[in-house]
Amino acid sequence: MNDDPLIIDGAALASRFFLGTAGYPSPAALAEAIEASGTQLITLGLKRTLQAGDNGALALALDAAQARGARLLPNTAGCRSAHEAVALACMARELYGTHWIKLEVVGDELTLQPDPFELLAAATELVKLGFTVFPYCTEDLVLCRRLLDEAGCAVLMPWGAPIGSGQGLAHPRALRTLRERLPEATLVVDAGLGAPSQAAQALEMGIDAVLLNTAVAKAREPVRMAAAFRDAIVAGRAAWRAGLIATQDFAVASTPVSGHAFLLGDAA
């Protein structure tokens, strides 16, 4: 039994690993990766699915998620305005029967950085419409506060680095500031992670969960990589709960000897 579930909107999630479903080499690899990850939450790009016109991978993903009791988190990837994102979220709710939505409103084509103004407007509207909103945002503290306090978002999803870049936590100090200044908020690092060690780092600093896609989907062995991220996330969370020692600018002897008698050699 998991004694440390993640509670979101009254739901208890046994895993702190949220997994994307795009770009896998085959539907079978996707299903196996979902199983290996232990995830309780998978994301799905509605616009990508509709444009692709092939629901085979989607059906397999949904079956795999349902088999392990995971929830579906549709997202508004590809949207450029609040109006477009709200319309797509409403469509996703009708299609998949969930009021949970990952909100993405992109403002820059090169970095795929979220548009903070359109994001806040869309989040505010969606919460009024009864959605539980997971906004993909930057680590900007003021924006995050407004998403929580003004819009009423249940979760914050600051990026680690640009989507698919594999850079890891580009601004760890900013993420630590978010954790310190928003101690009650549920924080999920979303995007930019490339290695399990980077996911562990996020959990070690008190981030509640991570969401990733490319690092697993594009790995040489996606299923093995999904398991590696699963274990790293568990280890990072356990380390945070256990209490990491404070970093120091100087050496601190693990076995102090000052003031204690000790032998230099065998007694005569």
Side-chain angles (χ1 to χ4, degrees):
M1 181 178 179
N2 186 356
D3 67 344
D4 185 34
L6 176 60
I7 309 298
I8 298 177
D9 191 30
L13 303 179
S15 171
R16 293 171 182 270
F17 183 6
F18 303 167
L19 188 64
T21 57
Y24 285 80
S26 69
L30 170 58
E32 291 175 19
I34 290 173
E35 181 64 28
S37 71
T39 185
Q40 292 276 281
L41 191 68
I42 64 168
T43 65
L44 172 72
L46 180 59
K47 181 173 282 193
R48 170 180 56 82
T49 301
L50 293 175
Q51 290 174 347
D54 178 9
N55 290 324
L58 168 61
L60 203 59
L62 293 176
D63 289 344
Q66 187 175 29
R68 57 172 296 98
R71 298 184 66 123
L72 181 67
L73 182 66
N75 69 52
T76 63
C79 291
R80 299 296 188 270
S81 69
H83 176 76
E84 185 182 12
V86 170
L88 194 62
C90 290
M91 187 184 302
R93 181 163 61 178
E94 290 297 318
L95 286 173
Y96 303 121
T98 178
H99 61 279
W100 285 20
I101 193 76
K102 179 188 171 186
L103 177 62
E104 296 185 38
V105 186
V106 172
D108 181 75
E109 296 299 327
L110 178 63
T111 65
L112 299 181
Q113 181 171 324
D115 182 323
F117 307 102
E118 295 295 308
L119 183 71
L120 182 61
T124 302
E125 179 65 18
L126 287 171
V127 170
K128 290 178 180 177
L129 292 173
F131 285 88
T132 296
V133 179
F134 295 59
Y136 169 59
C137 57
T138 64
E139 63 281 274
D140 181 87
L141 176 60
V142 175
L143 170 62
C144 287
R145 274 185 170 152
R146 295 188 69 180
L147 286 167
L148 289 172
D149 299 338
E150 295 181 22
C153 293
V155 176
L156 294 174
M157 304 185 76
W159 65 352
I163 293 172
S165 68
Q167 295 176 20
L169 306 183
H171 302 289
R173 180 172 294 180
L175 291 172
R176 288 192 179 93
T177 297
L178 280 185
R179 181 70 292 165
E180 292 167 2
R181 300 294 289 158
L182 305 173
E184 302 303 319
T186 298
L187 302 180
V188 181
V189 163
D190 178 13
L193 298 183
S197 58
Q198 297 163 356
Q201 181 188 5
L203 273 290
E204 286 171 359
M205 68 172 62
I207 299 299
D208 296 290
V210 299
L211 191 157
L212 58 96
N213 187 163
T214 305
V216 171
K218 299 302 183 183
R220 186 174 62 253
E221 298 182 47
V223 178
R224 189 184 296 272
M225 186 61 76
F229 269 100
R230 176 199 65 206
D231 294 344
I233 290 164
V234 170
R237 178 65 179 182
W240 180 81
R241 293 185 76 193
L244 299 170
I245 65 171
T247 57
Q248 305 283 354
D249 292 329
F250 47 83
V252 179
S254 58
T255 307
V257 295
S258 177
H260 297 275
F262 58 95
L263 300 177
L264 294 178
D266 294 336

